[in-house]
Amino acid sequence: MLTAMLVVGASGKLYAAADTDVPQVSLLTVEPGPVIYELDGHTALRFSLPGRYDYIVNWGVFDFNSPNFLYRFVKGETDYMAWPFPSEMFLEEYRRQGRGVTEQIIDLTPAQARRLEAMVTDNLRPENRTYRYNYIYDNCATRPLALIEKAIGAPVSIAGTPGFVYGETGIADDGAPTTFRKEMSHTHADYPWYQFGIDLALGSGLDREISLRERTYSPLYLRHALENASYTDSLGNVRHLVRSTATVIPGQKVTEAPTPWFLTPVFISLLILLLTALIVARDIRRRKITRWYDCVFYSAALIPGLLLTFLIFVSSHEATSPNWLYLWLNPFCAIPAVFIWIKSCRRVVYCYQICNFVALFLLLLIGILGIQGLNDAFYMLIGADILLSARYLVISNRKLQDKLTLRGR
C-alpha cells in the first residue's frame, strides 16, 4: 500500500509525495559566519527529486523574539526547531553572506532514502519539530547523522581524520586523544574571548576524552569525517556513506579578523598580573594595603562569580556543573571587595584570604592534573589573586607582630 509524505515544493508549500519516489539525499555544510553562534558552521539535510521537489531541512531555527529568550538561553532552556526551506531560498541566504556550502551526497538504497525522508517528515510535524538544543550533544550536526543511522539501520563508522585543519588557524589534527574543550579551543583560536567565555562558563564535563563520533558535534569536523565514513549493511558488506562531494557555493572569508595579540585575554591578564605584582611589592614595602585596588579586583571577580552561581545551581545546562572555577569565582568575592574598607571586619577578610589562598592552589592543581582545563589567561589572573592574598596575610601578620612587640615593651 502506498503511503504519502509531506515535502516542500519550489513555492515553499508542503504537498504529498508517494513513497515510490526515491529522493536524492545529501548533507550540506555551511562555512563559519561572522556572528558568534555561526563560528562553528552549520549542517542541514537536502532532499531532491528532479522535476518534483528540492528542499532543505534546517535544525538550527530559533526565534530571538520568543518570550524571555535570553534568560532561557542562559538557563539552558533554548528550544530550536526543525524547519524545511526550498533549496534555492536556503542557499541564496548563504550566497549573499559569502559563506561557502559543501554538498555530500549520501549513498543510500531506495528503501533507506524513503525511510530517512519519512522520519524527517515526521520530525517536521508541528508537535515534533521543537527540541531542546544542546551545544555538543543535540544540535544541527548531531541530528542529521543520528537520523541517517536510523534510516540505514546500522551505526556509521567514523575513521580517524588527521588531515583535518581547524579553520583559519591552520592547526592540523594529529589524531591524538582529545576533549570537547580542546576541540573548541582549536576551532576558536582566532577568537580567544569567545573561548575565554566558554572556559569560564562550562565545567569539567568538557574535559573527558571523547570518541571520534562525539567529535562530529562540530559541523566542520562532521563534513571532513564523513568523507571516510562507512557502515555495514544487512548483507555484511561495508559501504561508504558518501557517494560524492561538491562545492555548491564557493566560500570567502566572512568571519571577523583574528583578535590582535594586544587585545587577547592572555595579554590583558598578563598586564593585570604585572600591575598586581607592582602593587603587592609596594604594599609590602609600605606595610599598607592599597584598598581601592582590592576593591576593584574582587568586585570584578564577583561578577563572574554570580554568573557561575546561576549556571551551576539554576541553569539546566549539562556542562556547567561541576565547575571547579567556583573555588575562585564565587559570591564570597564580595567579602574583600566590601569589608576591606571596614576596620572591624579585618578578621573576616583575613579568614577569607586564608581560605582563598588554599582554594587557589587547589584550583591550580586541578588544572595541572587535567581534571578541568583552565584557559591560559586564568593562570595569570589566579596568580594575581594569590599575590593579593599572600600580601594581605603577610602585612596583617607583620602588623600583629608589631602590636605584640609594643605590648611586650
Side-chain angles (χ1 to χ4, degrees):
M1 185 172 81
L2 296 181
T3 59
M5 297 178 293
L6 296 177
V7 298
V8 182
S11 65
K13 295 182 179 179
L14 293 172
Y15 68 91
D19 66 358
T20 53
D21 297 328
V22 182
Q24 175 178 276
V25 182
S26 56
L27 186 136
L28 299 182
T29 304
V30 183
E31 295 293 327
V35 185
I36 282 180
Y37 58 80
E38 297 174 339
L39 289 178
D40 294 302
H42 188 49
T43 301
L45 275 182
R46 182 178 189 176
F47 296 88
S48 61
L49 193 62
R52 295 293 305 280
Y53 57 81
D54 187 357
Y55 68 100
I56 293 171
V57 180
N58 177 6
W59 279 268
V61 177
F62 58 91
D63 183 8
F64 270 127
N65 297 318
S66 61
N68 304 312
F69 176 84
L70 184 58
Y71 172 78
R72 289 188 297 105
F73 182 84
V74 175
K75 193 173 183 293
E77 296 178 353
T78 307
D79 290 334
Y80 276 41
M81 292 178 287
W83 205 269
F85 296 89
S87 291
E88 191 52 40
M89 177 189 296
F90 180 92
L91 294 172
E92 181 58 29
E93 175 70 19
Y94 296 111
R95 189 177 290 114
R96 289 200 307 266
Q97 295 179 19
R99 295 171 66 182
V101 178
T102 302
E103 181 173 31
Q104 295 170 299
I105 297 176
I106 308 301
D107 189 11
L108 301 174
T109 65
Q112 291 169 343
R114 293 192 202 102
R115 191 180 306 126
L116 178 57
E117 188 170 33
M119 289 189 296
V120 171
T121 299
D122 185 63
N123 193 180
L124 290 172
R125 296 184 185 281
E127 65 271 23
N128 298 333
R129 65 166 60 117
T130 301
Y131 72 99
R132 184 57 49 84
Y133 175 83
N134 185 294
Y135 180 51
I136 53 180
Y137 295 116
D138 197 356
N139 61 27
C140 69
T142 62
R143 289 228 155 194
L145 181 56
L147 285 168
I148 289 172
E149 286 184 320
K150 287 183 181 179
I152 63 179
V156 172
S157 175
I158 305 295
T161 55
F164 179 68
V165 175
Y166 294 92
E168 299 295 328
T169 62
I171 299 174
D173 177 14
D174 60 4
T178 188
T179 66
F180 283 120
R181 196 183 305 276
K182 288 178 182 177
E183 290 289 293
M184 293 174 189
S185 66
H186 289 323
T187 305
H188 309 142
D190 286 340
Y191 311 99
W193 282 108
Y194 183 39
Q195 188 60 39
F196 182 93
I198 289 175
D199 290 338
L200 177 68
L202 304 184
S204 57
L206 293 187
D207 297 293
R208 66 175 179 82
E209 186 176 324
I210 59 176
S211 66
L212 292 172
R213 170 58 188 267
E214 288 175 308
R215 295 178 73 175
T216 60
Y217 81 93
S218 164
L220 300 181
Y221 190 86
L222 174 63
R223 176 187 64 189
H224 190 76
L226 290 191
E227 286 300 315
N228 297 315
S230 61
Y231 69 95
T232 303
D233 64 20
S234 59
L235 299 177
N237 301 314
V238 176
R239 298 175 55 123
H240 287 291
L241 186 67
V242 174
R243 182 190 306 160
S244 63
T245 301
T247 299
V248 179
I249 300 175
Q252 52 185 295
K253 190 179 185 324
V254 297
T255 53
E256 298 293 334
T259 303
W261 64 269
F262 54 87
L263 294 179
T264 61
V266 169
F267 184 74
I268 292 175
S269 297
L270 177 60
L271 292 181
I272 293 173
L273 176 60
L274 293 175
L275 176 61
T276 302
L278 291 174
I279 290 176
V280 165
R282 177 172 172 267
D283 286 357
I284 291 177
R285 186 172 63 252
R286 295 186 312 152
R287 293 194 177 190
K288 185 178 181 181
I289 304 292
T290 303
R291 293 185 292 176
W292 69 265
Y293 188 77
D294 283 42
C295 181
V296 171
F297 185 92
Y298 288 106
S299 293
L302 177 61
I303 296 172
L306 294 175
L307 174 62
L308 290 188
T309 300
F310 178 86
L311 291 175
I312 293 171
F313 298 105
V314 179
S315 171
S316 57
H317 279 293
E318 293 180 21
T320 57
S321 182
N323 188 336
W324 293 101
L325 289 180
Y326 207 59
L327 289 168
W328 167 37
L329 304 170
N330 53 64
F332 292 112
C333 291
I335 293 175
V338 176
F339 291 176
I340 192 73
W341 302 103
I342 305 172
K343 276 189 175 183
S344 60
C345 294
R346 287 177 180 172
R347 187 178 294 275
V348 176
V349 178
Y350 184 85
C351 291
Y352 168 85
Q353 293 294 14
I354 291 176
C355 296
N356 187 46
F357 191 80
V358 174
L360 291 174
F361 271 99
L362 180 58
L363 179 57
L364 288 177
L365 182 62
I366 287 172
I368 292 170
L369 294 177
I371 297 173
Q372 178 169 327
L374 302 183
N375 191 285
D376 290 343
F378 293 168
Y379 285 102
M380 299 176 196
L381 296 174
I382 293 170
D385 202 345
I386 288 175
L387 288 177
L388 290 177
S389 288
R391 174 223 51 187
Y392 191 92
L393 296 175
V394 167
I395 293 177
S396 296
N397 287 334
R398 285 184 178 178
K399 286 183 177 181
L400 178 60
Q401 290 176 358
D402 290 345
K403 286 183 180 180
L404 292 177
T405 300
L406 288 174
R407 285 180 184 178
R409 291 178 182 175

